Amino acid sequence: MFEIAPSILSADFTRLAEEISVVKEAGVRVLHVDVMDGRFVPNITIGLPVVRSIRAVTDMIIDTHLMIVEPSRYAVEFAEAGANMVSVHVEADPHLHRTLTAIREAGALAGIAINPATPVSMLEEAIEFADFILVMSVNPGFGGQKFISTALNKVRVLKNMIREKGLDVRIEIDGGIDGSNIADVVEAGVELIVAGSAVYGKDDPAKAVRELMEKGTVWV
Ligand code: DX5
Ligand code: ZN
């Protein structure tokens, strides 16, 4: 089983409420919100006020991906703003256990995001305090980049780690997903698939979501 989480980074911000309801009507439950600070990544996007505004217009699951330095300073605030899932980057936080625990105490699911160049072994100690791992399949910062295929093996390695430790941790993937690779990531073990340009970059986002769901449905 997998779900698509459209990333609003590629949506039309002047019509955000409408863009959100279009994918909801197509059966989407999770909305991916990319928070960038211009320091951890070379781009600035949106912050707490936008998350509060989205919360006010939808009951969908809000998945905030914090691409910011010192994420522990803001993680709880995002949960309080209405995020149901909050992920922080392993590369940005030297005190992951503390941050993940604080996110959970604030009532959200706690996630660890991991960049393409960071090995899965970096998660060895902290993974049991997480609800999900967000595997980046592009270098974070921008939508519309090319999928880095080494992410597939990374998902498999991660899946093994989760199995060996007997944990109940979900795997999310983010970056460069489209109809050409969605079946591969599902087969590797991903359960939540972020898609930005492959949804909101299309003329008909609802149709794009439905097509991705079909292409990702693999029989194993
Ligand atoms: C990239 C972001 C992604 C982005 C994905 O740094 O974390 O969530 O919106 O966009 P696509 O699907 O176009 O690669
Ligand atoms: Zn993201």
Side-chain angles (χ1 to χ4, degrees), residues 14-33:
T14 64
R15 300 185 300 109
L16 197 48
E18 198 183 320
E19 295 269 68
I20 291 170
S21 67
V22 160
V23 293
K24 186 179 178 185
E25 277 158 34
V28 165
R29 297 195 314 146
V30 185
L31 208 57
H32 186 81
V33 178

Side-chain angles (χ1 to χ4, degrees), residues 49-91:
V50 176
V51 173
R52 285 190 201 104
S53 300
I54 297 170
R55 181 76 294 157
V57 297
T58 186
D59 58 2
M60 290 170 79
I61 296 165
I62 300 177
D63 169 30
T64 50
H65 175 194
L66 304 189
M67 287 160 277
I68 62 177
V69 296
E70 298 182 58
S72 59
R73 290 177 60 194
Y74 297 100
V76 167
E77 278 189 79
F78 276 94
E80 288 169 354
N84 308 93
M85 299 168 66
V86 180
S87 60
V88 298
H89 269 265
V90 60
E91 303 86 1

Side-chain angles (χ1 to χ4, degrees), residues 7 32 34 65 67 134 136 174 194:
S7 165
H32 186 81
D34 287 306
H65 175 194
M67 287 160 277
L134 196 176
M136 289 306 301
D174 183 6
V194 177

Side-chain angles (χ1 to χ4, degrees), residues 82-115:
N84 308 93
M85 299 168 66
V86 180
S87 60
V88 298
H89 269 265
V90 60
E91 303 86 1
D93 192 345
H95 308 295
L96 268 180
H97 169 266
R98 183 157 62 204
T99 309
L100 297 168
T101 304
I103 293 168
R104 282 175 161 180
E105 281 172 2
L109 295 180
I112 309 174
I114 179 167
N115 278 339

Side-chain angles (χ1 to χ4, degrees), residues 124-217:
E124 187 81 47
E125 303 301 328
I127 191 166
E128 65 184 274
F129 305 106
D131 298 297
F132 66 101
I133 304 296
L134 196 176
V135 174
M136 289 306 301
S137 40
V138 298
N139 290 295
F142 304 94
Q145 301 182 79
K146 192 177 175 305
F147 182 74
I148 299 172
S149 59
T150 50
L152 287 173
N153 195 45
K154 198 166 189 173
V155 168
R156 291 187 197 107
V157 172
L158 183 55
K159 193 97 187 151
N160 273 337
M161 180 188 277
I162 292 168
R163 196 179 299 125
E164 275 168 18
K165 289 178 180 285
L167 299 172
D168 180 20
V169 174
R170 303 295 163 85
I171 304 178
E172 178 178 15
I173 199 161
D174 183 6
I177 304 296
D178 59 22
S180 73
N181 52 28
I182 190 163
D184 297 335
V185 304
V186 171
E187 206 156 18
V190 173
E191 288 165 286
L192 187 60
I193 299 173
V194 177
S197 47
V199 173
Y200 285 117
K202 305 286 181 188
D203 292 338
D204 186 343
K207 185 169 162 233
V209 167
R210 284 194 294 267
E211 284 178 4
L212 283 175
M213 287 301 296
E214 275 169 31
K215 290 200 168 129
T217 304

